[in-house]
Amino acid sequence: MYSPRKKCQILFNISILQLLGIFFFAKGFFPYKTSLSGLSTVNELPPLPNGEKTPLEPKFDRLVFMLIDALRSDFVFGKNSGMEFVQSLVAERRAIPYTAIATAPTVTLPRIKALTTGTVPNFLDAILNIAESDTSSSLADQDNWLVQLKNVNNKSISFFGDDTWIKLFPGLFHETDGTTSFFATDTVEVDLNVTRNVIPQLSKPGWDVLIFHYLGLDHVGHSTGPYSNLMVPKQREMDEVVKIIYEIILEQDKKRIREDPNVKPTLFVLCGDHGMNEAGNHGGSSIGEISTAFVFMSSIFDSVKQVPETFSVPFDEHSMSFYKVINQVDFVPTISYLFGIPIPKNNLGLLLLDLMVDIDALDKLRALQLNAYQLSGILKTSWPSFDRSPNVTSVTSVMDCDFNDDQARLQCLYSMAYYYHDKSLNEVNDINHINNALLFYDKFVTDSGSGLASSFSDYDTTSMFIGLFFMILSVFNYIKIMLVTYIQWNKRFDNQDGSKSQRSHLEFLSIIGIIAFCITLFASSYIEEEHQFWYYWIQTMFIYSVILSFRLKNRTLFIKQACTFMCQMVLVRLIRAWNQTGQKFAGTIDLKFYLNTSYIKLMWILYFVTSSALTIITLREIRKLYINNNSRRNSVLSFILQRFTQLIVIIISISVTKYKLEIDGGVELFPKLFELISFIVRTTQIITLARLIYVLLIVSLVLCQLGIIVKNQLEKGSEIRKFPKIILCLITYLFILLSRPHNVPLYGLYFIQFYLFIYYNDDNFLLTPLSCNFFLISFEFLSFFSLGNSNSLSSIDISHSYTGINDYNVVLVGLTTFWGNWSGPIWWCFASVILRKEILMRWKLTKKTNNDDNIRKVDDKGSDKTMQENNAKDLSSLNTILFLDYFIYTSLFHSIVLFILSVGVMILRNHLFIWTVFSPKYLYQIVWNILFHFGVEIILIGIFEILSIN
């Protein structure tokens, strides 16, 4: 038997163990990628196999690098693309197109790292991508082609666009004009701020390298999806910028070459850092997220004789594989060779020979030799005996190679390439030697690059095992205290034999559900489709509850429970159809699709209905809170507080509606309504309006608490159920503010589920803490996935991350992003406060009925008053115990899931999908455990538990 104080101490100590486990395991599982330090130099370049030294000759001397964020391959090459000018260049074979495959995580920061260093970035960069103030991800000390251009060729580099580049390359750029990447609703100004620099920069004499990073197309995807009415116009806008740049550099090159024949032409590169999925988001590894467009343009390609004919025909539009498919990192060795600079030391890319349009076969061999030599430097760190400069005279035959050993196989391929390269230099006219050398070089760089890319992480298994040790300790301690708690509650329910059978069946089903969910954590497909488990299991519990209701002898109760559970099943099916998520059916048409296309007015009508119903419920709860009949003098004060609080709630409702109409495009559909609302709420600045809503929500909470204080001065004994209901209503306004309009009606459905949950929780169907908490956990996960979330980073919605924020702040932006994406589970956390109190009141009433004689054994004098005070104290004490038990059950669930998942990723750390499926899931689980469980379920809900007890 533990006292509440003792329980708190034990739970605090166990929580520390769990946090230590998360820290050590994450430290070992997400290490920074191993990389070679320092910069490559020209002096380190290898001689030819015959011993001759040849300098690197640049093929271009100026570069325009235009990166369009989220430029999916079909946005440029597809039939419905708006980039007609680029398509015409490709069709006329005046540009060289590729589909470049990006690796997960497909977010901007790691993709820029890949495009500049040629390496596979750390998966932890996906987290640092949101931390714009972070400096730990700087590339100042890592080898990359930008630094090489500046150091070797003394190039002047200027940058305009996403300020992630400025963070990655501090002090590198000659001129900069950065834009913030997380104002996802800005699709216009964010690009105009870049375009305004295009012509002025190109017109300046003596420029060398210009980098433009456009964000508008990515923001269109985040805001309205890849098939919205804004997408093609944005593509046309980008196409016009490409045309302007192309025509200017073409004219400039003609003039420059005419004045000085030794001048090299300009290279113009158009590319994307990643794509986007069918919802307009990115971060995962779906075909749409990893398929990016790459187009190389130059005056040297402005001839049909230079571009291979195979580049004029697209391949497979359905799979977004247009033209030749390459890896995104292949750009790094290619750009390095074209500009005559050393290939960055940690590059894993393969040089693209298609761009060597004006060089002979021996120069191509030299290019491949440099690529192979650079990759052999990485191999030598793993295999110190690997020979980077093999003796060509000692090479015998490829048949003598040991292909069962990776080092021996790669060493053989490398040596054979050197051998035939040497033969090609000595016997110039022997085409067979050249072809053999090309074949072995290509095989070596391909196998080396792919092998290194898959094994470029060094897990710290010691740290991971330490983390598992702390986790298992926390799990065992949670189980221990949970068993004690379970026994205590069973004793409390012993006198309720009528519902004992139902409780035991639901408890058993809850335990089986937890075990089944833990088993799914070992399968990549189940992790991708986790939402299916929660949809299925909660329906299973409802079906089983309907079956159990047949055992009730009372026909009225049977009908009540059966109908209630069937209504819940219908609601779950409707909620499930709202947003398709996961990986397999992510692009399937759902209700969200219809609401955003054919039935936009219906979507807004549903929004208005939900908002109006919420306002009515909130006003009603406020009126209940202030009801008081004991004092006329004080009732005047209560009346004033009540009316003032209700007025603020009405203003909040109107303000949120105005914000949503303006931000999410409802003004054109309801201009008169917006005009009326604007007359009531005069604020014109969107950021100011959002801040006003935040302030009013806080003020209304304070007024409600003040109302409770006033009421308690009039009545002895507290009402513990009213204030949490108001909090639930007010917090829903916040979630509506941070949600997309098509998701707002879901909160109305959650309210219906909530009231049904209270409705069937009567004396004959009394849920135990175990089954009740599992129901609540199921509702939390159900709501998380129903809002369109998944275990992929691509489902993170940042469209409302800057609601009420006009400048970057990692804490505020992080909080709004978290609250926006976890709004469903957080909503059910607040609902759980009310549900637990309802269970407590029902249990208390039942106990009072069964123990009436014992309760009334008090003195006649003041017996009613004493009993009322004792009941209030008893309720308050039981409420504290119930909250601690809620803490125990939810903590046990999250700690078990985290431990099992950690064991899974430990065992499967070399799995094919470790970085595309298991790693994102583990990041999500860390958020579930730290931010959601400790931050919301324990700290925040604990605060409101205290506020609700008087």
Side-chain angles (χ1 to χ4, degrees):
M1 179 74 69
Y2 296 112
S3 66
R5 182 181 295 275
K6 182 66 174 177
K7 275 187 180 181
C8 289
Q9 293 175 349
I10 295 174
L11 291 173
F12 177 79
N13 294 333
I14 301 174
S15 299
I16 296 298
L17 288 176
Q18 187 176 4
L19 291 173
L20 286 173
I22 294 173
F23 170 77
F24 281 105
F25 192 90
K27 179 176 176 290
F29 185 56
F30 295 111
Y32 277 104
K33 304 279 184 178
T34 54
S35 59
L36 300 176
S37 59
L39 303 177
S40 299
T41 62
V42 176
N43 295 331
E44 295 175 350
L45 296 178
L48 290 168
N50 62 4
E52 294 181 13
K53 289 191 175 182
T54 58
L56 285 176
E57 291 291 338
K59 307 302 182 289
F60 300 91
D61 63 6
R62 298 196 309 176
L63 171 67
V64 177
F65 187 73
M66 180 176 173
L67 191 153
I68 301 178
D69 214 284
L71 187 65
R72 206 167 69 182
S73 56
D74 63 321
F75 291 168
V76 179
F77 308 128
K79 294 179 181 178
N80 299 320
S81 169
M83 306 194 72
E84 298 175 356
F85 176 74
V86 177
Q87 287 187 336
S88 67
L89 291 180
V90 173
E92 296 169 5
R93 293 165 58 191
R94 297 162 63 191
I96 299 181
Y98 294 98
T99 294
I101 302 300
T103 57
T106 48
V107 291
T108 297
L109 188 145
R111 298 326 316 148
I112 294 177
K113 283 190 172 184
L115 283 168
T116 54
T117 65
T119 189
V120 179
N122 192 318
F123 204 91
L124 205 58
D125 287 325
I127 299 176
L128 298 178
N129 187 68
I130 195 174
E132 294 191 350
S133 57
D134 167 68
T135 57
S136 62
S137 55
S138 170
L139 295 178
D141 298 325
Q142 293 189 38
D143 203 357
N144 59 82
W145 58 263
L146 280 85
V147 174
Q148 291 286 358
L149 279 175
K150 187 171 184 178
N151 291 349
V152 177
N153 292 349
N154 197 28
K155 297 292 186 183
S156 173
I157 307 174
S158 296
F159 171 78
F160 309 92
D162 184 356
D163 57 8
T164 303
W165 289 76
I166 303 173
K167 175 181 63 178
L168 288 174
F169 304 99
L172 178 70
F173 300 116
H174 176 64
E175 288 187 53
T176 61
D177 187 4
T179 57
T180 301
S181 59
F182 283 94
F183 284 105
T185 55
D186 177 14
T187 63
V188 179
E189 293 296 329
V190 71
D191 282 346
L192 293 180
N193 290 336
V194 180
T195 303
R196 69 186 181 187
N197 292 287
V198 171
I199 295 179
Q201 291 297 323
L202 289 171
S203 302
K204 289 183 178 180
W207 65 267
D208 295 317
V209 179
L210 297 176
I211 301 175
F212 303 104
H213 187 154
Y214 283 88
L215 292 164
L217 187 137
D218 177 68
H219 289 185
V220 169
H222 282 299
S223 300
T224 58
Y227 305 113
S228 73
N229 296 331
L230 299 176
M231 184 56 72
V232 173
K234 176 56 68 174
Q235 293 170 7
R236 292 195 181 112
E237 178 188 341
M238 295 295 97
D239 191 56
E240 186 62 28
V241 175
V242 172
K243 183 178 180 181
I244 291 172
I245 295 174
Y246 180 80
E247 291 178 347
I248 290 177
I249 64 173
L250 212 64
E251 288 299 318
Q252 289 180 349
D253 280 356
K254 289 179 181 178
K255 181 180 178 181
R256 292 166 62 242
I257 294 173
R258 187 166 56 246
E259 295 175 353
D260 184 359
N262 295 323
V263 167
K264 305 296 182 182
T266 304
L267 179 63
F268 179 20
V269 180
L270 170 69
C271 69
D273 53 348
H274 52 74
M276 64 175 67
N277 59 19
E278 298 302 295
N281 297 320
H282 53 87
S285 57
S286 68
I287 190 65
E289 294 168 85
I290 65 174
S291 300
T292 68
F294 247 92
V295 183
F296 292 84
M297 296 163 278
S298 176
S299 59
I300 201 172
F301 304 146
D302 197 21
S303 169
V304 293
K305 296 180 181 179
Q306 299 290 352
V307 179
E309 187 175 356
T310 54
F311 283 95
S312 62
V313 181
F315 290 166
D316 186 1
E317 183 164 1
H318 178 71
S319 64
M320 299 186 188
S321 299
F322 299 87
Y323 310 106
K324 187 174 183 178
V325 179
I326 62 172
N327 290 318
Q328 199 177 59
V329 291
D330 294 345
F331 171 75
V332 174
T334 304
I335 198 71
S336 299
Y337 181 78
L338 292 176
F339 279 84
I341 57 177
I343 299 173
K345 283 187 175 183
N346 298 293
N347 162 70
L348 302 178
L350 283 60
L351 199 141
L352 303 174
L353 294 179
D354 307 304
L355 294 171
M356 316 300 170
V357 295
D358 62 339
I359 64 175
D360 58 25
L362 292 178
D363 285 337
K364 290 183 179 180
L365 284 179
R366 174 60 172 167
L368 286 174
Q369 180 204 2
L370 296 174
N371 196 180
Y373 185 80
Q374 173 266 318
L375 288 169
S376 69
I378 305 177
L379 292 176
K380 195 170 181 64
T381 60
S382 301
W383 302 321
S385 61
F386 192 89
D387 190 0
R388 300 184 68 190
S389 302
N391 187 349
V392 295
T393 59
S394 62
V395 177
T396 55
S397 170
V398 70
M399 301 301 295
D400 299 330
C401 298
D402 182 9
F403 284 92
N404 294 322
D405 180 73
D406 287 340
Q407 179 180 353
R409 178 175 58 85
L410 291 175
Q411 182 71 74
C412 180
L413 292 173
Y414 189 58
S415 299
M416 293 302 297
Y418 252 63
Y419 172 76
Y420 282 110
H421 191 179
D422 180 66
K423 287 287 187 181
S424 302
L425 294 171
N426 296 329
E427 302 174 21
V428 179
N429 295 325
D430 194 334
I431 192 65
N432 290 327
H433 291 330
I434 294 176
N435 289 336
N436 286 335
L438 288 172
L439 176 65
F440 282 110
Y441 271 133
D442 182 70
K443 182 65 175 174
F444 172 76
V445 296
T446 301
D447 290 1
S448 299
S450 59
L452 289 168
S454 62
S455 60
F456 215 52
S457 278
D458 290 332
Y459 298 108
D460 185 354
T461 53
T462 301
S463 182
M464 294 171 73
F465 275 117
I466 293 173
L468 288 175
F469 173 74
F470 282 119
M471 289 181 194
I472 194 66
L473 281 181
S474 67
V475 170
F476 280 144
N477 280 280
Y478 276 134
I479 291 176
K480 178 182 176 181
I481 194 171
M482 186 275 291
L483 290 176
V484 174
T485 302
Y486 181 77
I487 293 172
Q488 290 175 354
W489 274 101
N490 270 354
K491 290 180 179 179
R492 289 191 176 101
F493 284 109
D494 280 344
N495 60 342
Q496 299 170 36
D497 297 329
S499 59
K500 185 175 181 179
S501 175
Q502 290 188 6
R503 295 198 311 273
S504 62
H505 281 88
L506 286 177
E507 285 182 345
F508 175 76
L509 204 58
S510 301
I511 294 172
I512 294 299
I514 296 173
I515 295 173
F517 177 62
C518 290
I519 293 174
T520 65
L521 298 175
F522 290 91
S524 60
S525 298
Y526 281 104
I527 288 177
E528 290 179 329
E529 306 297 322
E530 182 185 328
H531 59 287
Q532 303 286 11
F533 171 84
W534 293 108
Y535 290 145
Y536 167 79
W537 201 261
I538 198 169
Q539 292 286 53
T540 301
M541 294 190 72
F542 285 142
I543 291 174
Y544 200 75
S545 299
V546 172
I547 296 173
L548 290 177
S549 65
F550 281 91
R551 298 185 178 185
L552 295 174
K553 296 179 181 180
N554 188 311
R555 181 179 176 83
T556 303
L557 289 176
F558 155 68
I559 295 174
K560 172 186 174 182
Q561 286 196 15
C563 291
T564 302
F565 283 116
M566 285 189 286
C567 288
Q568 286 280 23
M569 292 172 62
V570 172
L571 286 172
V572 170
R573 187 64 189 89
L574 178 61
I575 290 172
R576 176 181 181 176
W578 210 272
N579 286 286
Q580 289 289 356
T581 184
Q583 190 76 14
K584 191 174 181 180
F585 302 105
T588 307
I589 293 178
D590 47 23
L591 293 179
K592 173 197 67 179
F593 173 81
Y594 290 113
L595 292 175
N596 283 283
T597 53
S598 305
Y599 301 96
I600 297 179
K601 274 197 172 183
L602 176 61
M603 176 185 73
W604 284 105
I605 291 173
L606 290 174
Y607 169 88
F608 296 140
V609 170
T610 304
S611 179
S612 300
L614 175 62
T615 303
I616 293 172
I617 293 172
T618 309
L619 296 177
R620 179 172 169 267
E621 292 299 327
I622 292 173
R623 185 180 64 83
K624 287 183 179 180
L625 179 67
Y626 285 95
I627 289 177
N628 173 45
N629 298 318
N630 291 345
S631 171
R632 180 174 181 80
R633 181 176 59 85
N634 285 314
S635 66
V636 175
L637 178 59
S638 297
F639 178 81
I640 295 173
L641 285 174
Q642 173 190 341
R643 296 306 183 194
F644 188 60
T645 307
Q646 289 177 331
L647 177 62
I648 290 178
V649 168
I650 293 172
I651 295 174
I652 290 173
S653 178
I654 296 174
S655 300
V656 171
T657 300
K658 179 182 179 181
Y659 184 91
K660 301 302 291 182
L661 286 172
E662 192 163 352
I663 286 293
D664 296 307
V667 178
E668 296 179 358
L669 293 174
F670 305 96
K672 292 184 179 179
L673 175 63
F674 183 77
E675 184 179 348
L676 176 62
I677 292 175
S678 299
F679 177 77
I680 299 172
V681 180
R682 299 301 184 104
T683 305
T684 58
Q685 295 293 325
I686 289 297
I687 293 178
T688 306
L689 179 60
R691 290 176 176 176
L692 174 65
I693 295 170
Y694 292 150
V695 171
L696 290 177
L697 285 171
I698 295 173
V699 170
S700 59
L701 287 172
V702 172
L703 287 174
C704 290
Q705 182 64 25
L706 181 61
I708 288 180
I709 295 173
V710 171
K711 184 177 180 180
N712 285 344
Q713 297 299 317
L714 309 174
E715 298 177 359
K716 298 299 181 181
S718 62
E719 171 59 77
I720 65 172
R721 290 181 288 173
K722 294 291 188 296
F723 188 43
K725 286 186 180 181
I726 298 174
I727 295 175
L728 180 64
C729 294
L730 293 175
I731 209 73
T732 305
Y733 285 112
L734 176 62
F735 294 146
I736 290 175
L737 183 69
L738 299 175
S739 299
R740 295 176 184 259
H742 62 259
N743 280 336
V744 171
L746 285 172
Y747 296 106
L749 298 180
Y750 299 158
F751 264 106
I752 298 175
Q753 286 185 309
F754 166 74
Y755 283 114
L756 286 174
F757 200 98
I758 294 177
Y759 181 66
Y760 65 67
N761 181 37
D762 58 14
D763 300 345
N764 295 278
F765 195 82
L766 197 61
L767 292 173
T768 63
L770 175 59
S771 56
C772 178
N773 281 307
F774 186 74
F775 261 115
L776 292 173
I777 289 170
S778 300
F779 278 128
E780 288 169 359
F781 280 91
L782 173 72
S783 62
F784 177 77
F785 292 111
S786 68
L787 290 168
N789 297 303
S790 70
N791 286 324
S792 171
L793 296 179
S794 61
S795 64
I796 297 177
D797 187 1
I798 63 170
S799 60
H800 294 92
S801 297
Y802 274 82
T803 302
I805 306 172
N806 61 356
D807 198 6
Y808 181 77
N809 182 295
V810 65
V811 176
L812 295 179
V813 172
L815 282 175
T816 52
T817 303
F818 169 70
W819 278 73
N821 287 274
W822 264 261
S823 57
I826 296 173
W827 190 94
W828 277 104
C829 277
F830 283 93
S832 70
V833 177
I834 307 168
L835 292 172
R836 287 197 306 275
K837 295 182 188 303
E838 290 291 339
I839 292 174
L840 179 61
M841 295 301 295
R842 302 291 176 100
W843 180 84
K844 190 65 179 175
L845 289 173
T846 304
K847 181 180 179 182
K848 179 178 181 298
T849 302
N850 294 332
N851 300 280
D852 186 64
D853 294 337
N854 294 329
I855 291 177
R856 294 192 177 277
K857 287 181 179 180
V858 294
D859 294 334
D860 291 335
K861 294 183 179 180
S863 60
D864 292 338
K865 181 178 179 181
T866 303
M867 184 175 66
Q868 185 182 29
E869 292 176 350
N870 290 337
N871 282 339
K873 292 178 181 179
D874 196 14
L875 281 173
S876 178
S877 175
L878 284 173
N879 184 69
T880 303
I881 294 172
L882 194 62
F883 172 69
L884 290 175
D885 294 345
Y886 162 76
F887 186 172
I888 293 169
Y889 285 109
T890 54
S891 297
L892 177 60
F893 171 81
H894 288 292
S895 62
I896 288 177
V897 171
L898 179 68
F899 172 70
I900 297 298
L901 181 62
S902 300
V903 171
V905 298
M906 183 74 172
I907 297 172
L908 302 171
R909 61 186 181 276
N910 295 318
H911 192 277
L912 178 63
F913 300 127
I914 187 65
W915 294 117
T916 57
V917 178
F918 291 99
S919 294
K921 170 59 181 175
Y922 201 82
L923 288 175
Y924 270 100
Q925 194 58 49
I926 290 175
V927 175
W928 277 105
N929 279 63
I930 296 179
L931 293 183
F932 177 74
H933 176 57
F934 288 113
V936 177
E937 286 189 311
I938 305 306
I939 298 176
L940 189 60
I941 297 301
I943 292 172
F944 284 111
E945 286 276 3
I946 294 172
L947 289 176
S948 64
I949 301 174
N950 304 284

